[in-house]
Amino acid sequence: MLRLTLERLGHSVVHVDPYTLISSPGLIWWSQHTGNLLLGARIGRYLRESLPSGHYDLALVDNGALLDAVAVRWLKTIASRTLLFCRDNPFSSRDGLRWRLLKPALRHYDLFVTRRESSALAAKQWGARQVDLIIPPADEIEHRPLQLSDQDRAR
């Protein structure tokens, strides 16, 4: 959704989804329970192979659970700025090891954006350079009111 919003605003976006590498049930389980143990290098290689060569104004990472510090440092070589936008709470104990790669990588991003005050405070403790706390965004297309038919209203 973030990609579509940026494109509607007129930005040129190259979208790479590392989750395509862990789409099988076994790898999803492994990712969630080990914090992507032994997957960091594979994911970094996928990024390097998937992104067209050139220089980017911004590398925007949505979520960040799959990128280790090596991958973020590489993104900094091809982009003027690196931004991590995380809707979730990577500092909660609820998710076990899921965020194992994100926490040490935080200090390499130029900006960490969250919608939780507790995450903003914890990110600073983990060494985030700059933290921005935002109100949860709404997309004018994705979150527009539903158009109900007369049948829908009657039901």
Side-chain angles (χ1 to χ4, degrees):
M1 178 170 49
L2 192 53
R3 174 184 58 87
L4 297 174
T5 300
L6 290 170
E7 288 173 344
R8 277 197 310 279
L9 291 171
H11 298 284
S12 174
V13 177
V14 177
H15 181 250
V16 176
D17 184 2
Y19 278 95
T20 60
L21 288 176
I22 59 166
S23 58
S24 72
L27 278 176
I28 291 169
W29 183 92
W30 179 263
S31 172
Q32 293 292 320
H33 289 85
T34 69
N36 301 297
L37 184 66
L38 305 176
L39 293 177
R42 180 178 179 188
I43 291 165
R45 187 170 46 254
Y46 175 76
L47 282 178
R48 290 188 300 278
E49 292 170 356
S50 300
L51 281 168
S53 63
H55 188 76
Y56 298 87
D57 294 329
L58 175 67
L60 190 153
V61 176
D62 189 358
N63 177 290
L66 297 182
L67 300 188
D68 62 12
V70 173
V72 177
R73 285 194 309 264
W74 177 78
L75 285 174
K76 290 180 75 61
T77 68
I78 65 164
S80 298
R81 297 270 187 237
T82 54
L83 182 153
L84 171 59
F85 177 62
C86 190
R87 291 173 190 83
D88 211 332
N89 182 358
F91 308 102
S92 168
S93 60
R94 175 198 69 201
D95 295 330
L97 296 173
R98 178 179 180 204
W99 304 101
R100 188 179 66 82
L101 297 181
L102 178 141
K103 292 173 184 175
L106 263 177
R107 68 178 182 270
H108 300 288
Y109 287 98
D110 295 307
L111 177 62
F112 173 69
V113 178
T114 182
R115 51 187 202 170
R116 291 178 170 81
E117 191 170 339
S118 61
S119 292
L121 294 171
K124 290 176 184 174
Q125 292 173 341
W126 274 92
R129 293 178 179 191
Q130 185 175 351
V131 177
D132 195 5
L133 182 63
I134 62 166
I135 296 169
D139 179 275
E140 66 273 6
I141 302 297
E142 294 293 324
H143 299 110
R144 69 183 176 264
L146 293 175
Q147 299 299 319
L148 300 176
S149 68
D150 291 337
Q151 284 180 326
D152 291 333
R153 282 187 184 82
R155 195 173 15 172

